[in-house]
Amino acid sequence: MSYLRATLFMFFIHAIFAGIGFAIYGTQGAIIGTGIALLFHVVIFWKADKLVLRIHKAHEVDENHPSPMVRAFVKECRELSISAGMICPRLFIMDAHQPNAFAVGRDALHASIAVTNGLLMTLNRVETRAVIAHELAHVRRGDSLSMGIASAVSGLINNLTWIIFKPIGLQKISSRFVSRTIALIFASKAREHAADKEGAKICGKPLDLASALEKIERNTVSLLNPIAEKNPATAHIYVVDPLHASKRTHRSSHPATEKRIARLRRQAETLTPQSIAKSESHY
């Protein structure tokens, strides 16, 4: 479904370019618009993850990072990736007090996981591992492609609307409209539930993910994420909605955290002692 949604969205963008070209120059304009759209698609497909990471000012880390906390994060991600039979994504850190994380990338071979400093400082080791597993589940399911495309397109369109509407003082209104529209198109509560379920299987501890979600939710309500507030269309890629509580509505990009926690607790009840012991044997 994520790949289909991304494809339909790119066709929609294609139609807009071709339609604008046709309205201005007729058939020749439609051809030119189609060419521009194809170039746009190529750039977005190959560069969406880099654009999103740049927007969030994320910097790549590895096992040689001076911080023991970051080195532990890298180690956990690599071990979980091996356990899940996946190639470990590139890993990034964002400078933000709010604990949160997201995954982007066109496929499992070109995926990236970014977490905030706040997440590493707020969660304990097993909770951090559970969040990593949730993001790995997004990568394995193909969610990271559509999530990255939506965020990159939103960022580019927001910049264009800001330039166009700034002279008449409507730049903020137009930016919010674009962000909310794109976020609604790509938001999927079912996607988050599925990633929770699969992530819990990857780490073997549904209750660890439930505990992590509870802590993240509590902190996202009280701590602002300035970059997410400025780019609300990227909210749907985070593990928990990063926007301030006053900006959340019934159309939130995420299902209620309470419901996610309840599902994870029910999932934990179905696990046998043998399956739990098997997951622990990987570490």
Side-chain angles (χ1 to χ4, degrees):
M1 180 59 72
S2 292
Y3 286 119
L4 175 61
R5 191 173 297 190
T7 301
L8 292 175
F9 183 71
M10 296 303 274
F11 271 119
F12 175 71
I13 295 294
H14 187 111
I16 290 178
F17 276 102
I20 292 174
F22 182 80
I24 298 175
Y25 293 111
T27 303
Q28 185 177 1
I31 295 173
I32 295 174
T34 296
I36 295 174
L38 289 174
L39 178 61
F40 180 81
H41 295 339
V42 171
V43 172
I44 288 297
F45 183 80
W46 290 97
K47 300 294 184 180
D49 55 338
K50 295 179 176 62
L51 290 172
V52 175
L53 292 166
R54 185 176 299 174
I55 288 173
H56 289 84
K57 300 178 181 179
H59 53 275
E60 192 168 5
V61 295
D62 57 25
E63 68 278 0
N64 297 317
H65 196 276
S67 169
M69 182 173 61
V70 174
R71 291 200 301 272
F73 159 64
V74 173
K75 180 175 182 291
E76 294 292 350
C77 191
R78 291 186 173 175
E79 290 180 351
L80 277 171
S81 298
I82 293 172
S83 177
M86 300 172 60
I87 294 176
C88 184
R90 295 172 64 190
L91 304 175
F92 291 80
I93 297 292
M94 299 175 285
D95 294 322
H97 294 299
Q98 184 193 86
N100 230 315
F102 63 76
V104 289
R106 62 182 181 272
D107 54 41
L109 297 176
H110 304 88
S112 299
I113 292 178
V115 303
T116 64
N117 284 329
L119 183 132
L120 299 181
M121 292 187 289
T122 303
L123 305 188
N124 60 38
R125 182 172 178 177
V126 296
E127 291 166 343
T128 299
R129 189 170 69 207
V131 171
I132 296 169
H134 172 94
E135 299 306 333
L136 286 174
H138 275 311
V139 173
R140 187 153 71 179
R141 285 169 41 81
D143 298 334
S144 55
L145 171 63
S146 63
M147 293 158 70
I149 287 176
S151 298
V153 170
S154 174
L156 291 174
I157 295 178
N158 273 338
N159 287 333
L160 290 176
T161 56
W162 190 273
I163 294 172
I164 295 171
F165 291 98
K166 186 176 181 179
I168 58 177
L170 296 176
Q171 67 272 21
K172 290 185 178 180
I173 295 176
S174 62
S175 178
R176 283 196 297 268
F177 174 77
V178 169
S179 296
R180 288 175 181 174
T181 301
I182 295 177
L184 286 174
I185 292 173
F186 277 84
S188 173
K189 296 181 180 181
R191 179 184 65 208
E192 290 304 318
H193 283 309
D196 284 343
K197 183 177 181 179
E198 188 165 344
K201 290 180 180 178
I202 291 174
C203 71
K205 296 287 190 69
L207 293 181
D208 288 346
L209 182 54
S211 177
L213 292 177
E214 187 174 21
K215 286 185 179 180
I216 295 172
E217 172 67 21
R218 185 166 61 247
N219 281 275
T220 53
V221 171
S222 59
L223 295 173
L224 288 176
N225 184 327
I227 295 177
E229 296 290 332
K230 185 178 179 180
N231 302 276
T234 66
H236 71 283
I237 69 176
Y238 284 86
V239 65
V240 171
D241 190 339
L243 301 182
H244 189 267
S246 62
K247 295 185 179 180
R248 297 184 185 182
T249 67
H250 66 284
R251 293 183 177 180
S252 173
S253 58
H254 291 66
T257 304
E258 294 80 5
K259 291 183 179 180
R260 296 171 68 182
I261 292 172
R263 288 194 178 200
L264 288 165
R265 286 174 176 167
R266 288 196 295 271
Q267 184 178 351
E269 293 173 357
T270 65
L271 294 179
T272 63
Q274 291 80 7
S275 64
I276 296 175
K278 184 177 179 180
S279 68
E280 290 178 339
S281 66
H282 290 291
Y283 304 99

